[in-house]
């Protein structure tokens, strides 16, 4: 079994998928951190121009943002959900100001968490899909499945070794995303900020942001939380991708199907938020990090436990079906 | 005689309601090369896929070295090496990596086994190049090495010479013959080329439209031939053939002709002579596998 | 190269990272547990508004818990809190079943508690009960901790007096509704590991003032928790390092049992 897993890891590495993924990652991380740095410098310039002071105080732009939000929330025409999300941001900002937590100056650790929060619904799943889509379908389209399945090894072992190899590579991939986003953004911001405090565990109670159950953790710890959720999501995506990969005979259709579900799912959750079934779709539940930050939720009644359970069911069923289908499949290529 | 290395009985396969394989049975003894002959689309590949467990038979049994494929998959498959429809290897790895990787999937395959297989197929020089840059002939050699590294007792080759040049075909044939002779490996080799089967195999199973229409040794098949006698009284000769030897014959301008086992020819000639017939010429045309094949598949059509 | 270096590297790093992520994953679930409670007790089909108007507090009960997240039992793996745990201790002792009501709201500070009591919504619940356990003040005090050092003493005094004032008013309001009931005030403990003499002094003073308030009425008891938690933070704190865990709540329940009976 260990030899099988080793073989699969070797195949993944030799296919140079990781290089493509690293390349994509590097481009996106660089673009984003450059953009953030640029925006931050503009904020400082604006601050200096307006106040003619030289020492930048983050409270001023935070206050401005607060005023801006207040103005927008008093606009009669905006829908209630959006107003509620403004309210939450206002309360959060107030909390930051009251507790002297600087939400504006960018640091590497703030960036890596933000990158994960943004990437968890689409970008990171996509990287996992690139890694996993041809795991089985590639063997079919290249016909190498025949030399793999005519050995004295039962089929379930072959699929299991592929899945375990995929899990290992997915785990390492998530770590690489964390490290790369930290390192690259550090080059821009020159500020690590690993020990800065951050509040998490905001809860929404009676429509109010309750800060009672919040916890002060360091940025480092917070990033561990965020990336653990990313890891969980990635594993689920990997399992679902395995199912698709086992079902179709070509890697490109596997990637196509998954991209369509990921992107289509995003639309679904905004256009059909009223439709109860939407909350059971896996894509709707990918954004686990929003439960940690207390931000706006598109579908009412969803919670972290709910989302985790839904995803776990999707992942588990995908695995079961993958094994059943793979075991039964006639190899006709 | 040695025991059966492969025994296929009453195999059928249905894909989406159309029956592709009908009740196919054959077996291979130790050290034997069996040719699996049939025109394109006759069901050779489908049958071989079932034998190596790539697809499930709709019904029927497959036994490899006494292990039923269904119940003892691992034991059965550890005795099999195969190439089904061309050598499909991982193109992004070297030939050697391919062998190493596949070798690690079987028990007790050492570096020495791999090196042996490589030298057997004569690929020592290019073994560390990427498979993507190999010629078809080189791929086929690695394909063969891949099927041999775990020292199987049964080698299954599906149209192995497709896409090879005459030189390559010749070399490949020699390697397979050597394997059977020196190592006692049984070989099941499918082909739509009669010459190939004639040159390599001990026995042949002819398949057409998913049915086995003949199972016999090459010698038996080829010893049947057409004999033409030029006699002074062809009518009398015909009667003797009919009454004494139960052989039907025809008379035309060439003379008296009949299809028979050549080994009976001396007896017949003696009987003609004893009956006072004057034989001016006996012509014996050896039947080729091609004639047999055509006549058999032709019968099928009627 | 692959077999000797890359493969062992991948295996070890993947295993270590998996353990780290698994830990982080469980930790994040625990951290956002506070959010789960109100959501999960809410009927899925009911809109949130209805729920806010009407907390599910029994009209008549033997024990009534009010106050903040400690009262609500945040951090307790079994979600029982000291209220249920104390009630179960009583039942164990005499076999008698008692009813329990809980009107705690995570995040409440003393002024909010007063508001809640004065709103009149819980009048019948307060009037009918035999024992009222109040946990309040943690959030009032906690708000101070990140403020800067110069002004902290001043702010502390101010916060403390606001708290005492509100608590006094709350007790008076309760007494007006129910002159008979036994009252128990849960003291504050120090959830922070590092010795901070300033903070210790504040906590002492805070608890002392609360105790003073309780001593004015022999039907009001102060339940000290400071010593209880002092050397048991590892055992008694939940993952968030702030709220008690099940064992912590059990310790509070036992203290209640010891002091009240
Ligand atoms: N997946 C399939 N679905 C339906 N029919 C098939 C399938 N694969 C092969 N066949 C049919 O089965 C017959 C035998 O095919 P095959 O075994 O490949 O022949 P051979 O290898 O002898 O050329 C052909 O007539 C072909 O049309
Ligand atoms: Mg074929």
């Amino acid at each position: 079994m260990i030899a099988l897993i080793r073989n699969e890891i070797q195949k993944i590495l030799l296919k140079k998928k990781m290089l493509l993924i690293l390349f994509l990652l590097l481009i996106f991380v660089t673009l984003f951190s450059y953009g953030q740095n640029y925006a931050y410098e503009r904020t400082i310039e604006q601050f200096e121009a307006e106040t003619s002071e030289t020492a930048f105080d983050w409270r001023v732009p935070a206050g401005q943002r607060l005023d801006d939000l207040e103005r927008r929330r008093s606009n009669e025409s905006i829908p209630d959900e959006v107003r509620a999300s403004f309210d939450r941001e206002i309360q959060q900002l107030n909390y930051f100001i009251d507790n002297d937590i600087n939400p504006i100056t960018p640091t590497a650790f703030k960036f890596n968490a933000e990158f994960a929060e943004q990437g968890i619904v689409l970008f990171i799943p996509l990287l996992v899909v690139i890694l996993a889509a041809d795991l089985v379908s590639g063997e079919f389209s290249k016909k190498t499945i025949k030399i793999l399945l005519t050995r004295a090894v039962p089929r379930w072992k072959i699929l299991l070794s592929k899945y375990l190899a995929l899990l290992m590579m997915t785990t390492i991939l998530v770590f690489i995303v964390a490290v790369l986003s930290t390192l690259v953004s550090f080059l821009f911001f020159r500020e690590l900020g690993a020990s800065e405090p951050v509040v998490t565990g905001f809860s929404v109670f009676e429509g109010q942001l309750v800060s009672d159950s919040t916890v002060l953790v360091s940025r480092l710890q917070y990033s561990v939380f965020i990336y653990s959720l990313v890891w969980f999501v990635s594993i689920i995506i990997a399992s679902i991708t395995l199912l698709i990969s086992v079902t179709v005979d070509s890697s490109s259709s596997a990637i196509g199907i998954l991209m369509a579900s990921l992107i289509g799912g995003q639309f679904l959750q905004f256009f059909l938020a009223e439709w109860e079934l939407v909350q059971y779709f896996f894509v709707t539940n990918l954004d686990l990090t929003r439960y940690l930050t207390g931000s706006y939720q598109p579908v009412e009644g969803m919670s972290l436990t709910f989302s985790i359970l839904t995803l776990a069911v999707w992942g588990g069923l995908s695995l079961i079906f993958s094994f059943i289908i793979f075991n039964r499949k006639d190899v006709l290529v | 005689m040695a025991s059966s290395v492969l025994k296929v009985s009453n195999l059928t396969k249905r894909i989406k309601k159309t029956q592709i394989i009908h009740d196919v049975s054959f077996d291979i003894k130790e050290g034997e090369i069996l040719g699996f002959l049939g025109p394109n689309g006759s069901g050779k590949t489908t049958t071989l896929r079932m034998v190596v467990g790539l697809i499930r038979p709709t019904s029927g049994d497959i036994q490899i070295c006494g292990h039923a494929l269904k119940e003892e998959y691992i034991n059965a498959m550890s005795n099999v090496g195969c190439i089904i429809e061309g050598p499909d290897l991982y193109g992004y790895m070297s030939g050697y990596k391919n062998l190493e990787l596949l070798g690690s999937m079987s028990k007790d395959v050492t570096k020495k086994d791999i090196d042996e297989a490589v030298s057997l197929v004569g690929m020592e020089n290019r073994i560390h190049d990427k498979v993507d840059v190999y010629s078809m002939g080189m791929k086929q050699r690695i394909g063969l090495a891949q099927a041999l590294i775990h020292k199987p007792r049964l080698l299954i080759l599906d149209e192995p010479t497709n896409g090879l040049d005459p030189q390559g075909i010749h070399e490949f044939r020699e390697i397979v013959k050597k394997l059977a002779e020196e190592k006692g490996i049984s070989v099941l080799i499918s082909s739509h080329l009669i010459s190939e089967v004639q040159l390599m195999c001990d026995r042949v199973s002819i398949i057409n439209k998913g049915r086995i229409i003949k199972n016999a040794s090459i010698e038996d098949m080829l010893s049947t031939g057409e004999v033409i006698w030029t006699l002074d009284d062809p009518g009398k000769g015909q009667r003797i053939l009919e009454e004494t030897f139960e052989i039907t014959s025809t008379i035309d301008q060439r003379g008296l002709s009949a299809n028979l086992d050549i080994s009976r020819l001396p007896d017949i000639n003696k009987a003609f002579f004893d009956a006072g017939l004057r034989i001016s010429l006996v012509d014996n045309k050896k039947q080729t596998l091609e004639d047999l094949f055509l006549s058999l598949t032709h019968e099928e059509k009627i | 190269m692959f077999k000797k270096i890359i493969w062992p590297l991948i295996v070890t790093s993947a295993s270590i990272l998996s353990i780290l992520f698994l830990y982080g994953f469980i930790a994040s679930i625990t951290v956002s547990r506070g959010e789960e409670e109100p959501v999960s007790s809410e009927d899925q089909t009911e809109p949130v508004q209805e729920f806010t108007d009407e907390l599910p507090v029994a009209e008549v009960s033997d024990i009534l818990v009010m106050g903040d997240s400690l009262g609500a039992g945040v951090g307790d793996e079994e979600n029982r809190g000291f209220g249920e745990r104390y009630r179960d201790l009583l039942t164990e002792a005499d076999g008698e079943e008692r009813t329990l009501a809980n009107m705690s709201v995570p995040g409440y500070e003393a002024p909010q508690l007063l508001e809640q009591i004065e709103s009149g919504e819980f009048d019948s619940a307060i009037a009918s009960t035999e024992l009222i356990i109040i946990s309040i003040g943690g959030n009032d005090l906690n708000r101070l901790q990140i403020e800067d050092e110069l002004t902290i003493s001043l702010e502390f005094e101010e916060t403390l007096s606001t708290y005492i004032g509100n608590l006094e008013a709350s007790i008076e309001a309760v007494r007006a509704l129910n002159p008979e009931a036994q009252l128990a005030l849960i003291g504050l403990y120090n959830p922070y590991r590092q010795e901070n003499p300033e903070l210790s002094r504040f906590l002492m003073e805070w608890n002392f003032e609360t105790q003073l308030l309780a001593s004015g009425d022999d039907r009001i008891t102060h339940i000290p928790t400071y010593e209880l938690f002092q050397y048991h933070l590892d055992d008694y704190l939940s993952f968030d390092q702030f709220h008690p865990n099940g064992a912590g709540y059990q310790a509070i329940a036992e203290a209640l049992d010891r002091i009240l009976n």
Side-chain angles (χ1 to χ4, degrees):
Chain A
M1 192 68 205
I2 287 174
L4 293 182
I5 300 174
R6 194 179 57 212
N7 288 349
E8 293 304 329
I9 296 261
Q10 198 167 10
K11 284 189 214 165
I12 295 175
L13 291 181
L14 284 174
K15 273 188 279 189
K16 309 241 161 70
K17 278 287 166 55
M18 277 316 239
L19 283 184
L20 171 69
I21 289 172
L22 284 185
F23 181 68
L24 282 176
L25 202 55
L26 209 58
I27 290 182
F28 273 81
V29 168
T30 311
L31 276 179
F32 281 161
S33 38
Y34 174 78
Q36 261 203 9
N37 200 39
Y38 181 76
Y40 179 61
E41 275 167 6
R42 288 290 301 273
T43 315
I44 294 181
E45 271 171 30
Q46 214 177 346
F47 175 81
E48 284 168 353
E50 279 171 16
T51 61
S52 69
E53 277 178 45
T54 41
F56 174 70
D57 181 2
W58 63 266
R59 283 162 199 273
V60 178
Q64 282 168 356
R65 171 84 185 143
L66 208 54
D67 291 344
D68 183 40
L69 285 168
E70 294 280 7
R71 218 168 337 101
R72 278 158 69 186
R73 81 167 293 284
S74 54
N75 181 349
E76 296 282 318
S77 60
I78 58 168
D80 280 349
E81 312 81 280
V82 179
R83 199 191 320 274
S85 87
F86 284 161
D87 283 350
R88 277 170 208 158
E89 196 181 338
I90 290 171
Q91 283 166 331
Q92 238 175 52
L93 262 180
N94 275 324
Y95 187 93
F96 288 142
I97 293 172
D98 287 350
N99 291 297
D100 201 18
I101 297 170
N102 176 349
I104 289 186
T105 306
T107 66
F109 267 83
K110 224 181 269 181
F111 180 83
N112 74 24
E114 227 167 87
F115 188 74
E117 282 159 19
Q118 298 301 318
I120 195 170
V121 283
L122 192 61
F123 184 63
I124 296 172
L126 227 51
L127 296 183
V128 176
V129 167
I130 292 178
L131 191 68
D134 69 344
L135 199 64
V136 179
S137 60
E139 302 258 8
F140 272 92
S141 54
K142 289 267 187 297
K143 304 188 176 188
T144 44
I145 190 75
K146 287 184 295 185
I147 49 173
L148 208 55
L149 292 188
T150 51
R151 305 276 137 190
V153 179
R155 287 195 185 184
W156 65 264
K157 261 194 188 172
I158 300 221
L159 190 62
L160 186 63
S161 66
K162 280 183 174 293
Y163 183 62
L164 291 179
L166 176 61
L167 288 192
M168 285 164 70
M169 292 313 283
T170 306
T171 304
I172 291 173
L173 172 65
V174 171
F175 181 66
I176 289 176
V177 174
V179 169
L180 215 58
S181 58
T182 311
L183 285 185
V184 171
S185 61
F186 179 71
L187 291 183
F188 281 100
F189 306 148
R190 298 280 161 194
E191 194 85 59
L192 209 54
S195 54
E196 270 183 22
V198 58
V199 264
T200 182
F202 283 103
S203 49
V204 182
F205 188 74
E206 299 179 16
Q208 293 266 312
L209 195 73
V210 180
S211 53
D212 171 77
S213 59
T214 56
V215 196
L216 263 187
V217 295
S218 69
R219 274 273 163 200
L220 177 68
Q221 213 174 345
Y222 184 68
S223 290
V224 172
F225 288 174
I226 294 278
Y227 278 92
S228 301
L229 294 178
V230 169
W231 174 70
F232 177 76
V233 164
S234 302
I235 284 180
I236 301 298
I237 294 289
S239 312
I240 296 172
T241 310
L242 184 77
L243 175 63
I244 305 292
S245 187
V246 164
T247 316
V248 302
D249 281 354
S250 88
S251 339
S252 43
S253 16
I255 292 188
I257 290 172
L258 283 151
M259 292 245 295
S261 349
L262 283 172
I263 296 168
Q266 304 297 329
F267 284 115
L268 206 65
Q269 68 174 316
F270 286 104
F271 288 128
L272 298 174
E274 305 291 309
W275 189 28
E276 217 178 301
L277 275 183
V278 169
Q279 59 180 312
Y280 298 105
F281 188 46
F282 74 93
V283 178
T284 324
N285 289 289
L286 289 182
D287 195 359
L288 295 182
T289 55
R290 68 172 173 226
Y291 298 114
L292 278 190
T293 51
S295 54
Y296 166 64
Q297 297 169 23
V299 181
E300 203 60 59
M302 286 169 53
S303 66
L304 182 64
T305 316
F306 172 85
S307 286
I308 285 176
L309 284 180
T310 312
L311 288 177
V313 168
W314 273 85
L317 288 181
S318 297
L319 266 192
I320 293 171
F321 282 119
S322 303
F323 276 89
I324 292 176
I325 292 172
F326 190 70
N327 242 344
R328 297 240 174 113
K329 194 162 179 156
D330 276 351
V331 179
L332 290 166
V333 292
Chain B
M1 245 305 311
S3 60
S4 284
V5 170
L6 171 68
K7 193 168 166 51
V8 172
S9 23
N10 310 104
L11 210 57
T12 61
K13 177 68 186 177
R14 193 175 287 142
I15 298 183
K16 291 174 203 134
K17 302 231 167 106
T18 44
Q19 187 145 5
I20 300 175
I21 302 298
H22 305 257
D23 200 25
V24 162
S25 306
F26 57 88
D27 69 341
I28 303 179
K29 308 264 184 282
E30 193 141 10
E32 197 174 48
I33 304 183
L34 175 72
F36 200 42
L37 187 61
N40 283 329
S42 56
K44 301 181 298 290
T45 303
T46 310
T47 307
L48 297 190
R49 275 180 203 277
M50 286 192 275
V51 172
V52 298
L54 286 176
I55 60 181
R56 279 160 192 259
T58 307
S59 69
D61 272 324
I62 297 160
Q63 288 221 343
I64 300 169
C65 297
H67 304 288
L69 190 67
K70 243 184 284 176
E71 283 86 31
E72 299 176 80
Y73 181 82
I74 304 298
N75 286 335
M77 285 308 290
S78 57
N79 290 306
V80 180
C82 65
I83 311 177
I84 302 290
E85 283 202 329
D88 297 301
L89 300 156
Y90 297 103
Y92 48 84
M93 296 182 206
S94 70
Y96 194 80
K97 264 252 129 60
N98 268 283
L99 295 181
E100 229 179 23
L101 202 132
L102 295 167
S104 72
M105 295 178 71
S106 305
K107 274 199 194 91
D108 310 323
V109 174
T110 60
K111 222 171 137 45
K112 198 167 135 270
D113 296 328
I114 296 177
D115 292 338
E116 246 177 55
V118 170
S119 69
L120 184 80
V121 298
M123 276 292 293
E124 295 96 327
N125 294 332
R126 301 286 306 275
I127 193 68
H128 290 290
D129 291 359
K130 266 196 183 160
V131 168
D132 272 342
V133 303
Y134 285 174
S135 70
M136 186 63 197
M138 291 155 103
K139 280 186 195 167
Q140 192 62 278
R141 284 159 187 250
I142 299 291
L144 191 59
Q146 162 275 128
L148 289 172
I149 38 174
H150 53 294
K151 303 209 169 69
R153 289 170 63 192
L154 173 65
L155 192 59
I156 295 179
L157 306 170
D158 185 28
E159 312 222 15
T161 53
N162 266 8
L164 295 187
D165 55 18
Q167 169 77 11
I169 293 178
H170 178 76
E171 283 172 5
F172 193 82
R173 193 186 295 143
E174 292 311 308
I175 295 173
V176 172
K177 271 187 173 166
K178 200 168 90 183
L179 278 173
E181 272 162 30
E182 290 176 8
K183 308 217 161 156
I185 297 178
S186 313
V187 184
L188 171 56
I189 186 162
S190 86
S191 178
H192 65 277
L193 296 172
I194 293 150
S195 56
E196 194 165 277
V197 172
Q198 205 162 354
L199 281 167
M200 283 175 83
C201 304
D202 306 319
R203 288 201 306 140
V204 63
S205 287
I206 299 176
I207 183 172
N208 192 32
K209 296 186 178 166
R211 284 192 174 84
I212 297 278
I213 50 180
K214 187 106 184 161
N215 266 324
S217 78
I218 294 269
E219 265 132 43
D220 286 349
M221 285 202 188
L222 296 187
S223 60
T224 318
E226 191 182 37
V227 180
I228 303 166
W229 291 271
T230 314
L231 300 171
D232 52 350
D233 185 355
K236 193 173 174 191
Q238 192 170 32
R239 269 196 310 281
I240 295 171
L241 279 180
E242 182 86 54
E243 285 155 17
T244 324
F245 298 98
E246 292 171 358
I247 292 172
T248 49
S249 52
T250 50
I251 299 171
D252 54 25
Q253 73 277 14
R254 289 182 304 168
L256 173 69
S257 58
N259 276 322
L260 48 82
D261 187 338
I262 308 290
S263 61
R264 302 173 75 183
L265 197 53
D267 289 342
I268 299 171
N269 282 344
K270 187 166 183 300
F272 282 173
F273 186 75
D274 290 346
L277 282 170
R278 295 167 67 92
I279 307 169
S280 34
L281 184 67
V282 181
D283 190 11
N284 150 16
K285 237 168 90 185
K286 237 192 178 183
Q287 191 184 24
T288 60
L289 200 50
E290 184 153 13
D291 301 328
L292 180 71
F293 186 75
L294 288 177
S295 68
L296 284 171
T297 51
H298 182 67
E299 274 166 31
E300 234 355 76
K301 273 183 202 125
I302 302 166
Chain C
M1 164 73 176
F2 174 80
K3 245 185 194 172
K4 291 223 171 67
I5 303 171
I6 301 177
W7 163 247
L9 201 70
I10 285 182
V11 173
T12 29
S13 57
S15 331
I16 293 172
L17 289 171
S18 297
I19 293 169
L20 174 72
F21 286 144
L22 200 65
Y23 155 80
F25 180 64
I26 294 168
S28 348
I29 297 178
T30 324
V31 164
S32 46
R33 267 276 287 280
E35 166 190 3
E36 299 294 288
E37 281 156 56
V39 177
S40 57
S41 63
E42 166 197 347
D43 193 338
Q44 284 278 324
T45 52
E46 239 172 290
V48 181
Q49 271 69 24
E50 274 178 47
F51 173 59
T52 60
D53 295 341
E54 212 167 13
L55 280 168
V57 174
E59 295 278 294
V60 179
S61 64
D62 301 324
I63 304 170
L64 177 64
V65 180
M66 58 173 80
D68 52 21
S69 53
L70 249 67
V74 171
D76 189 340
E77 301 85 354
E78 298 165 46
N79 254 327
R80 287 160 69 208
F82 59 72
E84 268 187 54
R85 286 172 188 275
Y86 172 57
R87 180 193 56 184
D88 293 350
L89 281 177
L90 289 179
T91 309
E92 245 171 67
D94 61 10
E96 227 172 281
E97 297 286 336
R98 289 173 180 77
T99 55
L100 174 76
N102 199 330
M103 48 190 267
S104 309
V105 178
Y108 261 23
E109 297 179 8
Q112 289 163 302
L113 176 65
L114 179 59
E115 249 175 66
Q116 189 191 30
I117 294 168
E118 285 182 337
S119 70
E121 258 175 66
F122 303 98
D123 282 3
S124 58
I126 294 170
S128 66
T129 193
E130 286 170 15
L131 170 64
I132 299 176
I133 309 173
I134 302 173
S135 163
I136 198 74
N139 295 316
D140 306 53
L141 180 60
N142 204 33
R143 206 156 30 84
L144 283 177
Q145 269 148 35
I146 319 167
E147 303 286 309
D148 67 321
E149 282 182 27
L150 278 179
T151 56
I152 191 154
S153 283
L154 221 78
E155 291 208 24
F156 172 75
E157 294 304 334
E158 210 181 296
T159 312
L160 178 58
S161 71
T162 315
Y163 158 77
I164 291 292
N166 277 293
L167 185 60
E168 241 175 339
S170 299
I171 291 172
E172 260 171 47
V174 168
R175 275 280 171 260
L177 291 164
N178 187 340
E180 299 299 315
Q182 172 76 40
L183 262 61
L185 302 176
I186 306 291
L188 297 190
Y189 59 88
N190 182 2
Y192 302 102
R193 257 159 240 279
Q194 70 273 46
E195 281 299 322
N196 179 343
E198 186 91 332
L199 179 63
S200 304
R201 192 175 60 79
F202 286 162
L203 270 169
M204 297 283 198
E205 198 177 334
W206 190 280
N207 282 333
F208 179 71
E209 290 292 330
T210 312
Q211 211 166 351
L212 221 56
L213 192 79
S215 66
D217 183 340
D218 62 355
R219 300 206 48 83
I220 302 179
T221 318
H222 179 253
I223 311 292
T225 58
Y226 189 92
E227 287 81 8
L228 216 53
F229 276 66
Q230 198 168 16
Y231 300 112
H232 296 97
L233 285 184
D234 283 333
D235 304 327
Y236 284 175
L237 283 194
S238 69
F239 172 78
D240 65 15
Q241 299 298 333
F242 186 76
H243 295 100
N245 58 13
Y249 280 115
Q250 188 65 30
I252 299 178
E254 276 161 15
L256 274 164
D257 190 38
R258 210 168 43 242
I259 296 166
L260 289 178
N261 304 312

